[in-house]
Amino acid sequence: MRSRLVEVDIIRPIAILLVVFVHSTAVFTNTWVVPGLQHLEPVPVYVYHNDFLSSFRMPTIILIAGYVFAYLADARPTAFWRVVTTKFKRLMVPAWLFGTPYFFMFYEPNLEQFVTLVSRGIGHLWFLPMLFWNMVFGHFLNKIRGRLATLLTLSGLMVLSYVSMDVLNILGLGRAIYFAPVFYVGLVAFRYREVLQERVRSTTFLVLLAGA
């Protein structure tokens, strides 16, 4: 039986709550245009607060996804095509299944627009194709070892992330590449889990000692 990742149990619910808060107040920041509510004036406290939270809320969740992916890959190695088929059924199929009625509720019928938007994850569903592709990439990225190779890989992913959204976003691939550096950091963080935990314990001890 696999042991629980206590650090994930603590951080993930907090990150999810931050996402819920930002989404629930987005209409008051002009982030989303809601039919019939265009007259709403932005609320400054929500604008500043959401801008701050948005700088790290989604990266935190994606980093955790990479962290957990590495944990599962280490505990139960899986063949590449098994990863593809399993994640496709769990992520891409729901994105398309729920994206179809979403499109017809909020958009005028248009086949080209339908295929483009739904295939890459329409609206909030963008997250699912992004995770799918990063887990496909993660199967190979997780095999990279060595400090130099890791740094070079991360550097390469960061360069690609700057151009991905403008150049390629077929099936959500562009957005996946955009967030790939964060997902990869999660993979690497799990590899150094014990070192990181020891650093956190040491830092916590020093903070408590200083405040005593």
Side-chain angles (χ1 to χ4, degrees):
M1 183 176 179
R2 295 192 297 265
S3 60
R4 295 190 64 86
L5 296 173
V6 178
E7 60 274 28
V8 173
D9 289 339
I10 294 172
I11 298 173
R12 183 161 51 189
I14 296 173
I16 291 173
L17 285 174
L18 293 180
V19 171
V20 171
F21 179 83
V22 170
H23 283 187
S24 64
T25 58
V27 68
F28 302 108
T29 64
N30 279 347
T31 304
W32 298 341
V33 177
V34 179
L37 296 178
Q38 293 91 336
H39 63 281
L40 287 178
E41 292 293 328
V43 179
V45 66
Y46 287 148
V47 173
Y48 298 134
H49 197 259
N50 286 10
D51 285 345
F52 171 69
L53 294 179
S54 295
S55 66
F56 63 86
R57 61 184 175 87
M58 288 311 301
T60 300
I61 290 179
I62 295 167
L63 187 148
I64 290 172
Y67 190 92
V68 174
F69 182 85
Y71 165 68
L72 294 175
D74 183 66
R76 187 179 57 195
T78 306
F80 172 67
W81 288 112
R82 177 71 174 173
V83 173
V84 173
T85 56
T86 301
K87 300 306 179 185
F88 185 88
K89 288 187 291 186
R90 292 183 178 179
L91 298 170
M92 295 299 280
V93 171
W96 297 344
L97 182 64
F98 292 104
T100 297
Y102 184 106
F103 176 86
F104 289 107
M105 283 192 297
F106 296 104
Y107 293 85
E108 293 294 328
N110 180 293
L111 181 59
E112 182 179 355
Q113 189 179 37
F114 170 78
V115 172
T116 300
L117 295 179
V118 174
S119 66
R120 68 189 186 194
I122 189 171
H124 299 76
L125 299 174
W126 67 267
F127 188 73
L128 300 179
M130 182 278 298
L131 272 186
F132 168 75
W133 287 114
N134 271 300
M135 289 179 178
V136 171
F137 302 150
H139 180 81
F140 300 103
L141 293 173
N142 198 38
K143 299 179 185 298
I144 297 173
R145 292 293 186 271
R147 183 172 298 180
L148 179 59
T150 298
L151 289 174
L152 289 175
T153 300
L154 180 59
S155 299
L157 291 174
M158 291 178 69
V159 171
L160 288 174
S161 72
Y162 280 106
V163 299
S164 60
M165 293 291 286
D166 296 326
V167 176
L168 181 67
N169 200 24
I170 301 172
L171 299 177
L173 187 57
R175 199 182 294 270
I177 297 173
Y178 177 79
F179 284 106
V182 182
F183 189 88
Y184 184 62
V185 169
L187 295 176
V188 176
F190 178 76
R191 197 179 307 160
Y192 294 97
R193 180 190 182 198
E194 293 182 1
V195 175
L196 292 172
Q197 288 178 335
E198 185 59 37
R199 294 285 178 85
V200 170
R201 293 191 193 99
S202 300
T203 304
T204 303
F205 174 76
L206 290 175
V207 170
L208 292 175
L209 186 64

